């Protein structure tokens, strides 16, 4: 990777901003039931925080958050989490993605739907954040592969 | 005429934005500039849907205890917002794939000029 | 800019500006998008979502309910598109050794 000069201001700003953005991303994901937000928006915010750290500190710093190898794997994990919720209702006799039929005891169907929506949003957020970070890594990343 | 402009100025603006996006895709020779035109075009379509979903005195589609669920007319239609939410993410990912293709093209041909590429691919 | 490009763009601009001027005004509550029923007389989807979201899924944010429950198959496909885009990026740019 080409040696780039790191500005102190940029590094300090990224160091201060990145945790705030990550916290806000989690808030957006988990408060999506009651305010504007949800998996896509939260995932994009999370990816923005990861990319900010990579822009300021390079991949050597960013790899401590999420490594290059983990990007596609986490993306697949998010999609699989989503698909697993759908398959859980499908395999126990309901329609695909009919959240009221997911076999979890102790919930009324409406509450179960609410919980499963949250699970789906988390899956979407993981997938979007990981995939966007992976795209950034591939577009601008270093040559060495680890 | 003035009344029509008052109710439709956002639509006229978005129509012009669409044409600007098409201009970028059609007339520019550099592939990156074509991509910028595509992004402008996508943004104009998304904004068009969101302007269409706006309703005077309509609240955001988050059910509020004070407004109740009895009268859906108090809220704006949630469907366009949902559709555009997914469209935005897909637009970002298509942009990523397009940039990857451009990088691959630049590695092979060392140029992103459309005419030169067509000349050399012949 | 070549002449034929200008011609195509001028035609597009004319068609778009003409069509857009005849849409219902911005924020008009009687526009088809905001009516209770569609022009064909069937109940509109948006009205159904707003009326039933709270009892169906116990979630006040209707956009979230539509995204992850009523139209969740759409969202599943869309997440797959995002994942596929990422994988395509990787496959295009990975150096073949």
């Amino acid at each position: 990777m080409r040696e780039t000069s790191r500005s102190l201001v940029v590094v300090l700003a990224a160091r201060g901003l990145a945790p705030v953005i990550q916290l806000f991303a989690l808030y957006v994901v988990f408060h999506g039931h009651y305010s504007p937000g949800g998996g896509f928006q939260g995932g994009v915010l999370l990816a923005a925080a990861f990319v900010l750290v990579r822009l300021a500190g390079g991949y050597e710093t960013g790899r401590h958050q999420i490594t290059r190898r983990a990007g596609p794997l986490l993306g697949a994990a998010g999609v699989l989490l989503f698909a697993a919720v759908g398959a859980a209702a499908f395999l126990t006799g309901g329609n695909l993605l009919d959240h009221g039929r997911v076999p979890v005891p102790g919930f009324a169907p409406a509450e179960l739907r609410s919980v499963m929506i949250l699970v789906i949003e988390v899956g979407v957020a993981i997938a979007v954040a990981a995939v966007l970070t992976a795209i950034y890594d591939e577009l601008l990343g270093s040559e060495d592969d680890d | 005429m003035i009344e029509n402009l008052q109710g439709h100025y956002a639509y006229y603006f978005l129509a012009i934005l669409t044409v600007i996006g098409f201009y970028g895709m059609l007339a520019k020779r550099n592939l990156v500039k074509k991509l910028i035109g595509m992004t402008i075009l996508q943004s104009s379509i998304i904004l068009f849907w969101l302007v269409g979903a706006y309703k005077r005195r309509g609240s955001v589609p988050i059910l509020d205890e004070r407004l109740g669920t009895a009268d859906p007319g108090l809220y704006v239609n949630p469907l366009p917002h949902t559709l555009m939410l997914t469209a935005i993410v897909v637009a970002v990912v298509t942009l990523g794939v397009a940039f990857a293709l451009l990088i691959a093209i630049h590695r092979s041909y060392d140029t992103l000029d459309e005419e030169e590429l067509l000349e050399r691919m012949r | 800019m070549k002449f034929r490009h200008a011609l195509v763009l001028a035609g597009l601009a004319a068609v778009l500006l003409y069509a857009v001027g005849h849409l219902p005004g911005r924020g008009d509550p009687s526009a088809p998008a905001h009516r209770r029923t569609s022009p064909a007389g069937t109940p509109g989807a948006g009205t159904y979502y707003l009326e039933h979201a709270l009892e169906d899924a116990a979630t006040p944010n209707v956009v979230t309910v539509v995204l992850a429950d009523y139209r969740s198959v759409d969202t599943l496909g869309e997440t797959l598109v995002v994942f596929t885009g990422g994988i395509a990026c990787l496959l295009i740019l990975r150096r073949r050794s």
Side-chain angles (χ1 to χ4, degrees):
Chain A
M1 184 178 178
R2 243 180 305 129
E3 205 49 47
T4 50
S5 62
R6 306 235 181 275
S7 159
L8 183 67
V9 178
V10 172
V11 171
L12 280 179
R15 197 186 270 177
L17 274 175
V20 183
I21 296 176
Q22 284 172 12
L23 194 63
F24 185 65
L26 292 182
Y27 165 77
V28 167
V29 172
F30 287 103
H31 210 258
H33 282 46
Y34 305 103
S35 66
F40 289 110
Q41 299 96 314
V44 170
L45 274 170
L46 209 54
F50 293 154
V51 170
L52 179 66
V53 169
R54 280 162 149 73
L55 277 173
Y59 179 67
E60 299 79 43
T61 317
R63 63 180 293 179
H64 296 298
Q65 284 184 311
I66 173 170
T67 60
R68 181 187 299 266
R69 197 168 283 271
L73 291 178
L74 276 176
V79 176
L80 280 178
L81 184 61
F82 197 143
V85 171
F90 181 58
L91 294 176
T92 52
N95 287 326
L96 182 68
L97 285 161
D98 183 4
H99 306 324
R101 297 290 299 271
V102 174
V104 180
F107 285 108
E111 290 170 358
L112 191 59
R113 279 171 183 272
S114 185
V115 173
M116 284 305 142
I117 286 174
L118 184 63
V119 174
I120 279 180
E121 298 275 12
V122 169
V124 168
I126 293 172
V128 169
V131 164
L132 289 184
T133 315
I135 288 178
Y136 171 82
D137 272 347
E138 285 304 318
L139 289 184
L140 296 168
S142 57
E143 302 294 309
D144 57 338
D145 219 22
D146 72 330
Chain B
M1 181 64 203
I2 290 294
E3 278 170 30
N4 186 285
L5 209 59
Q6 266 178 350
H8 296 81
Y9 67 93
Y11 291 122
Y12 287 127
F13 168 72
L14 289 170
I16 293 168
L17 203 61
T18 311
V19 175
I20 291 173
F22 262 112
Y23 162 72
M25 290 177 73
L26 201 62
K28 290 291 173 191
R29 283 179 57 171
N30 191 317
L31 290 180
V32 176
K33 289 181 181 171
K34 275 183 192 290
L35 213 52
I36 294 172
M38 190 183 85
T39 313
I40 295 173
L41 184 64
Q42 284 171 338
S43 307
S44 75
I45 303 292
I46 288 167
L47 284 170
F48 177 77
W49 275 69
L50 294 184
V51 170
Y54 169 73
K55 178 163 69 171
R56 217 176 294 123
R57 297 183 181 284
S59 175
V60 289
I62 296 172
L63 298 171
D64 195 332
E65 288 162 1
R66 281 164 295 172
L67 295 177
T69 59
D71 184 12
L74 293 171
Y75 304 95
V76 301
N77 194 341
L79 198 51
H81 296 248
T82 313
L83 294 177
M84 287 309 106
L85 186 58
T86 56
I88 290 168
V89 180
V90 169
V92 170
V93 174
T94 48
L95 195 65
V97 175
F99 273 130
L101 284 171
L102 289 194
I103 289 175
I105 289 173
H106 193 266
R107 270 184 196 160
S108 307
Y109 291 94
D110 274 327
T111 178
L112 285 177
D113 189 286
E114 191 195 11
E115 308 276 328
E116 204 178 324
L117 278 174
L118 288 175
E119 193 65 34
R120 287 174 59 182
M121 281 175 185
R122 195 164 289 157
Chain C
M1 193 157 91
K2 286 176 193 139
F3 178 68
R4 61 170 196 270
H5 292 162
L7 205 65
V8 167
L9 289 173
L12 179 70
V15 169
L16 279 180
L17 288 173
Y18 173 76
V20 140
H22 291 262
L23 284 174
R26 174 174 172 271
D28 187 0
S30 62
H34 305 307
R35 276 190 222 140
R36 260 189 106 74
T37 54
S38 72
T42 52
T47 310
Y48 178 88
Y49 295 148
L50 284 167
E51 278 173 345
H52 294 85
L54 205 54
E55 63 191 75
D56 276 351
T59 303
N61 190 344
V62 185
V63 173
T64 302
V65 180
V66 175
L67 189 79
D69 197 330
Y70 291 121
R71 295 180 73 95
S72 50
V73 179
D74 184 15
T75 310
L76 175 61
E78 208 254 328
T79 317
L80 272 173
V81 167
V82 170
F83 180 64
T84 315
I87 295 296
C89 242
L90 256 68
L91 293 179
I92 291 167
L93 289 177
R94 265 297 136 82
R95 294 209 174 253
R96 297 170 193 81
S97 53

